[in-house]
Amino acid sequence: MLTAADAADSLVNLWKAGAQGSLQQLRGAAPGADPDDNHVWARADAGEITAKTAYSRRYRQNYHGMTIGADHGFALDAGTAAIGLSAGQIRSTADYVQGRGDLTGTTLGLYGRWSADNGNYLLFAASASSLKNRYAARDSEGRDIVGKYRTQAGQLYAEGGHTFKLAKSYYVEPQLGLSLGAIRDSEHTTGNGVRISQDTLDASYARVGVAFGRTLEGARLAGNVYVRAAALHYLGDDLDLIASKQGGSIVPATSDRKGTSGELMLGGDVGFNNKRTSLFLEASGATGAETRQHWAVQAGLRHSW
């Protein structure tokens, strides 16, 4: 029962890690390209998460993924905008106290950015994900009890901010965002006949952040380096599960997700090939009430024409 709870909890972590990676890349796609440019890009993600759960349990999971996307930019009266599509898959292995899980998340997304000439900007993103965890739990006699947990998730995100330009190409950028997200209710039956039922999970949160960076400009090269810090306040629920068999049922406890968490990111990008092609890299970490992202890295390539 407890491993099934950790299996569901770790799938929430995987979905959130993939969603945060996409939003971090969108924030890093700073304006500056020609308004009518088309872009294609590819991004790789990797990281490690640990979580504390009830009854002094703890588990660890590593993840890696790949996302591709394309967008089209266009000029407006007082700024520029872009809209695009993305598709990605993220995989993870989780080591539970008494078992192991193999997790997969596949996501399709729509995103956009509007940047005004005066420094204001607005981001939006919408995504739909299919989530799966094939896990095995060891019982008291050392036997593996197999379960297959499947569900779907969705997210709507909007963020606004303003870029204040400072001396010597430095800038500071306050940010305010809101995410409305949910994971659908789901049921599955383990190999020993236990039915695991999960209620719909509200995973909404508010984000307040600030970025400080410097724009680098040359004749054939251009770039940007930055550090971001943010606080995320969770507005949703904890994960609710019921395990039942032969008329009896229990409610296994899961991680406490309520409260405020923090994240810190350091990154940069460099453009070459007459600034038509750019490489980007970002490293980050985050901590919450009972979940900690020890490290995360994303790297990718973006080309425009």
Side-chain angles (χ1 to χ4, degrees), residues 89-302:
Q89 186 173 84
I90 186 168
R91 294 178 176 271
S92 173
T93 56
D95 294 317
Y96 311 123
V97 175
Q98 291 183 308
R100 179 181 175 87
D102 293 315
L103 302 82
T104 304
T106 302
T107 299
L108 297 176
L110 170 71
Y111 62 91
R113 177 176 181 124
W114 167 76
S115 301
D117 294 338
N118 64 2
N120 293 330
Y121 78 88
L122 179 65
L123 308 178
F124 75 87
S127 64
S129 302
S130 175
L131 307 172
K132 178 175 64 177
N133 188 355
R134 297 175 181 267
Y135 66 93
R138 291 184 297 275
D139 64 12
S140 58
E141 298 180 4
R143 296 173 299 185
D144 282 345
I145 308 301
V146 177
K148 185 186 297 183
Y149 173 38
R150 294 175 181 267
T151 188
Q152 294 80 41
Q155 181 186 36
L156 295 173
Y157 184 82
E159 177 179 302
H162 183 87
T163 303
F164 294 94
K165 295 183 179 180
L166 308 177
K168 298 182 179 180
S169 299
Y170 288 98
Y171 64 88
V172 63
E173 187 177 271
Q175 306 161 344
L176 179 63
L178 177 65
S179 172
L180 303 177
I183 296 179
R184 283 189 58 182
D185 59 305
S186 177
E187 285 191 359
H188 70 278
T189 302
T190 65
N192 62 344
V194 178
R195 188 176 65 182
I196 307 296
S197 302
Q198 171 232 311
D199 289 343
T200 298
L201 173 67
D202 180 357
S204 302
Y205 65 87
R207 179 184 183 275
V208 178
V210 63
F212 177 75
R214 186 179 186 185
T215 302
L216 309 174
E217 189 71 32
R220 298 180 64 86
L221 293 174
N224 177 50
V225 292
Y226 58 86
V227 59
R228 291 197 192 99
L232 285 72
H233 185 70
Y234 190 64
L235 305 173
D237 307 318
D238 290 336
L239 190 62
D240 290 330
L241 299 174
I242 298 177
S244 58
K245 183 179 181 179
Q246 297 177 348
S249 63
I250 63 171
V251 180
T254 58
S255 293
D256 181 7
R257 297 184 175 274
K258 296 181 180 179
T260 302
S261 62
E263 59 183 19
L264 180 66
M265 292 145 282
L266 177 65
D269 61 82
V270 58
F272 53 95
N273 186 26
N274 289 325
K275 306 176 186 178
R276 288 293 184 179
T277 304
S278 62
L279 297 171
F280 57 88
L281 174 68
E282 183 174 274
S284 62
T287 183
E290 293 185 341
T291 303
R292 180 180 179 186
Q293 186 175 57
H294 292 270
W295 61 270
V297 175
Q298 63 172 238
L301 177 71
R302 183 177 178 91

Side-chain angles (χ1 to χ4, degrees), residues 14 47-49 60-64 91-95 295:
L14 184 69
E48 180 182 68
I49 300 170
R60 180 183 301 270
Q61 64 184 117
N62 298 302
Y63 66 86
H64 62 275
R91 294 178 176 271
S92 173
T93 56
D95 294 317
W295 61 270

Side-chain angles (χ1 to χ4, degrees), residues 52-75:
K52 297 178 182 178
T53 53
Y55 314 112
S56 300
R57 303 192 322 277
R58 182 190 298 266
Y59 67 84
R60 180 183 301 270
Q61 64 184 117
N62 298 302
Y63 66 86
H64 62 275
M66 177 66 71
T67 304
I68 59 174
D71 53 70
H72 173 68
F74 48 93

Side-chain angles (χ1 to χ4, degrees), residues 33-57:
D34 292 338
D36 296 322
D37 276 356
N38 297 305
H39 307 90
V40 292
W41 53 267
R43 185 189 83 241
D45 294 89
E48 180 182 68
I49 300 170
T50 59
K52 297 178 182 178
T53 53
Y55 314 112
S56 300
R57 303 192 322 277

